Amino acid sequence: MKRLIGAVLMMSLCCVPVLHAGIFGESEEEKEVRLAKHVADLLREPNKVIAQAQEAVENDDIEEGIRLFRKAQTMIEEIELKEDTSGSSFATLRLKKFHCVSMLDALALRQSEVQDVRQAVTDTSGLAARLAQERAELAAAAEQAENPNNLPRPPTLQEQLAVEEAKAMKARADVEHCRTALATAQKDLDLVSAAFTNAAKAHTEADTKFFMAGQGVAQAKQAKKSPAVIEALEATLEAAKRELQEKKNELAQAKQNQAEVKARVDEAAATLKREEAEFIAAEKPVTVLRKAIADEAEAARKKAAEEKAKAEAEAQRMAAEQLRAKQAEAEAAAKAREAEAKAAAARNAEAKAKAEAEAKALEKEVKMCDELWRLKQVEAFERHVTEALVRWTDEPELLVQLARLRLIQGQEEDALELVAMISSKGEVGKKAAFVAAGAYMVKGLPLEAMKILEPAMTAFPNDPDVYYNMAVVLVRLPEIDPNREIASKYYIRSIELGGCRSTVLERRLGME
């Protein structure tokens, strides 16, 4: 497994079809390829339901998790009724079913642990309402005893404070409203003032034009110009006169608008000043009431402290009287605890022994799978992995073994799906990364394989296999390493860290 990618890729680099097909199964019959894709399609919907169930369990929704895992199991069982799932291609489907069964067992146990508590809560759902009603009746009775004639009760300080705070809040809101109104009026004043300035400028220009037109008519008459010329100049004068009148009207309107908006600004400013004064006045009773409430609370605290001290003294007296009885009870309880502790220790020892035996059995099975993998006994390896997963459904070591198997069987998608179920941390995560990188290389995606290996290189900076596999990947990425200098450095680093040499890779790197 340590050189899984290297073994896979060097075969492809050397272009040896027989070995390549023997390892990856790329030359298997088209029927097997179609079957693998068919299994992936069948598992698409169950996988979605399993993911939803896992999310429900993570959110502590046990009932929803049970429902969804049972639904996924039913979907898989329906597939088993319609399909012949005895072959190795359906191992992933069987693994998913085992996962659902194990999760249903675990969730059923968790549900039974909390069932009694839930039942108790359900059975006492009406007690809370009755208790609240009784408390209300007691409070009403106490109030009736204190006020038998039903005289009007004066408002408390808190009630008065709530009223005054509401008034203060309203006053504050009124102030903010007035400030907004003043700002809006000021903006309007700026606009109409600008309009008045423009109107005055236009009036001045029209007046100048009218004056010049009048001068032209007078000069033409004095120079005794022709009637046609004088008539044209008089027409110009008349047009200038009309334009001047229009600008006078516009100037007057602009001045009126400016006066009106100025009055609005003055009114808004005066209103804001009044509202600010009212707000300051509204804040005063709030401050007074808050201080009164604080003083009242301090007095109540002192009274409570005195009553507490009296109660503690009384409790100490009663405790002294009850000490002997409690000591006798404590001795009896200690003996009972000692007996329970011994029984618990016996149970823990039994559970520990069972867990150790289970761990040893798992370790033995993992070693057996590793040995079968090393000896290339694929059929025996598949049998051991499948049988072991029945017992240890979610064991990452076994999932890696199954991912190895799917990779050499040419089922790259299944291999990627399996390693996706494994954490990327630790030694197992490194093995899973090697399988994922190998799958991407077989799929012709060396760049994706490099992305998988980069985190592994960071996590395991002194692992020779990581550098070796990265060197093999870079050989397939000429756009990144055209001269294979980076690949050579990684390969040399792998040898320096104690890795084995590869004559095939050295020939590819030109290092012979």
Side-chain angles (χ1 to χ4, degrees):
M1 183 64 187
K2 292 181 179 180
R3 296 226 170 178
L4 176 62
I5 303 175
V8 171
L9 298 182
M10 291 314 300
M11 292 298 179
S12 63
L13 289 173
C14 293
C15 300
V16 183
V18 176
L19 293 178
H20 191 276
I23 293 179
F24 292 107
E26 288 186 353
S27 62
E28 291 181 351
E29 295 180 353
E30 184 176 348
K31 179 180 177 181
E32 295 181 359
V33 176
R34 178 171 49 81
L35 182 58
K37 294 180 179 179
H38 180 57
V39 173
D41 292 338
L42 290 175
L43 285 175
R44 184 171 293 109
E45 292 303 321
N47 284 338
K48 292 180 180 179
V49 177
I50 290 173
Q52 294 172 359
Q54 195 65 42
E55 183 178 358
V57 172
E58 292 175 357
N59 294 330
D60 293 331
D61 192 348
I62 299 177
E63 294 180 357
E64 181 67 8
I66 291 175
R67 186 187 70 81
L68 291 172
F69 273 120
R70 187 172 289 119
K71 178 180 178 181
Q73 180 184 355
T74 302
M75 295 170 69
I76 294 174
E77 290 174 349
E78 290 176 355
I79 294 173
E80 289 177 335
L81 292 175
K82 298 177 182 178
E83 303 280 343
D84 180 10
T85 61
S86 60
S88 60
S89 298
F90 283 88
T92 303
L93 182 142
R94 295 193 292 273
L95 175 63
K96 296 293 184 181
K97 181 180 177 181
F98 299 149
H99 177 65
C100 292
V101 173
S102 63
M103 288 301 298
L104 285 171
D105 292 340
L107 292 175
L109 180 60
R110 288 176 58 184
Q111 188 182 42
S112 65
E113 292 175 351
V114 300
Q115 188 64 40
D116 292 339
V117 177
R118 291 184 176 179
Q119 185 64 36
V121 173
T122 302
D123 292 341
T124 60
S125 58
L127 293 178
R130 292 199 297 272
L131 180 59
Q133 182 179 357
E134 291 175 0
R135 287 177 176 172
E137 292 174 355
L138 290 174
E143 184 175 357
Q144 179 65 26
E146 293 179 359
N147 188 13
N149 297 322
N150 292 325
L151 297 176
R153 182 179 59 83
T156 64
L157 293 177
Q158 287 288 356
E159 292 172 344
Q160 296 178 49
L161 177 60
V163 173
E164 296 301 331
E165 284 180 337
K167 293 179 180 179
M169 290 178 62
K170 182 180 182 305
R172 180 187 293 274
D174 292 340
V175 169
E176 294 301 326
H177 177 74
C178 291
R179 286 176 179 168
T180 302
L182 177 59
T184 301
Q186 189 61 53
K187 290 181 180 179
D188 293 343
L189 179 60
D190 294 340
L191 292 175
V192 297
S193 297
F196 176 77
T197 301
N198 294 333
K201 182 178 179 181
H203 176 266
T204 301
E205 293 176 354
D207 187 48
T208 302
K209 187 185 296 184
F210 175 73
F211 175 76
M212 295 302 296
Q215 290 293 323
V217 170
Q219 291 176 1
K221 289 181 178 181
Q222 185 177 2
K224 297 181 179 180
K225 298 289 184 178
S226 66
V229 172
I230 293 174
E231 183 177 356
L233 291 175
E234 287 178 344
T236 301
L237 177 62
E238 186 63 25
K241 182 178 180 181
R242 288 194 302 270
E243 181 180 1
L244 177 60
Q245 185 60 42
E246 290 176 1
K247 298 305 178 182
K248 282 183 179 179
N249 295 337
E250 291 177 1
L251 179 60
Q253 184 63 45
K255 186 175 182 180
Q256 181 180 354
N257 293 340
Q258 185 181 35
E260 291 176 354
V261 176
K262 179 63 169 59
R264 279 177 51 203
V265 170
D266 294 341
E267 182 181 357
T271 303
L272 175 60
K273 186 175 181 180
R274 288 196 307 272
E275 294 296 339
E276 287 176 342
E278 291 179 4
F279 171 67
I280 292 173
E283 278 285 296
K284 291 181 180 179
V286 172
T287 303
V288 173
L289 285 170
R290 285 176 179 171
K291 185 177 184 305
I293 291 172
D295 294 341
E296 187 179 72
E298 179 63 19
R301 186 192 65 78
K302 290 181 179 180
K303 183 178 180 181
E306 293 174 356
E307 292 178 352
K308 181 180 178 181
K310 292 179 181 179
E312 289 176 352
E314 180 63 17
Q316 289 175 1
R317 184 186 65 80
M318 294 180 64
E321 294 177 356
Q322 298 174 358
L323 180 58
R324 286 188 299 271
K326 287 187 176 181
Q327 285 177 339
E329 293 177 0
E331 291 175 0
K335 291 180 180 179
R337 287 196 299 271
E338 183 178 357
E340 179 62 25
K342 289 180 179 179
R347 291 194 299 270
N348 291 338
E350 181 181 355
K352 182 178 179 182
K354 184 177 179 180
E356 291 177 352
E358 189 74 4
K360 289 181 180 179
L362 174 60
E363 182 181 2
K364 180 180 178 181
E365 191 62 32
V366 171
K367 288 182 179 179
M368 174 61 72
C369 291
D370 284 335
E371 182 65 16
L372 292 174
W373 172 263
R374 186 182 65 81
L375 296 175
K376 301 297 186 290
Q377 297 182 12
V378 178
E379 293 183 0
F381 175 73
E382 180 180 6
R383 186 175 64 257
H384 272 273
V385 171
T386 305
E387 292 175 355
L389 281 169
V390 174
R391 185 173 178 182
W392 298 285
T393 306
D394 300 323
E395 177 56 40
E397 284 280 3
L398 295 176
L399 292 178
V400 170
Q401 303 283 12
L402 184 58
R404 289 176 173 178
L405 180 64
R406 291 295 172 260
L407 181 57
I408 66 172
Q409 289 176 340
Q411 300 177 26
E412 298 83 19
E413 294 297 335
D414 288 351
L416 289 172
E417 184 176 355
L418 286 166
V419 297
M421 301 167 61
I422 302 171
S423 172
S424 61
K425 307 296 183 182
E427 191 69 23
V428 179
K430 181 182 70 175
K431 294 179 182 179
F434 287 167
V435 174
Y440 282 124
M441 289 296 291
V442 173
K443 289 165 66 68
L445 300 171
L447 187 59
E448 297 298 325
M450 185 178 71
K451 293 178 181 179
I452 292 293
L453 290 176
E454 285 177 344
M457 185 176 294
T458 302
F460 302 94
N462 297 320
D463 190 310
D465 295 320
V466 179
Y467 291 93
Y468 177 86
N469 288 321
M470 183 63 84
V472 174
V473 171
L474 287 170
V475 170
R476 294 282 295 275
L477 289 170
E479 66 274 16
I480 294 179
D481 189 16
N483 299 323
R484 297 177 180 173
E485 294 179 359
I486 303 176
S488 299
K489 291 180 180 179
Y490 281 131
Y491 175 69
I492 293 171
R493 180 56 178 164
S494 173
I495 301 303
E496 291 174 350
L497 291 172
C500 299
R501 295 183 60 182
S502 171
T503 56
V504 176
L505 181 57
E506 289 180 2
R507 283 198 299 270
R508 297 293 296 175
L509 295 174
M511 300 175 65
E512 294 181 321

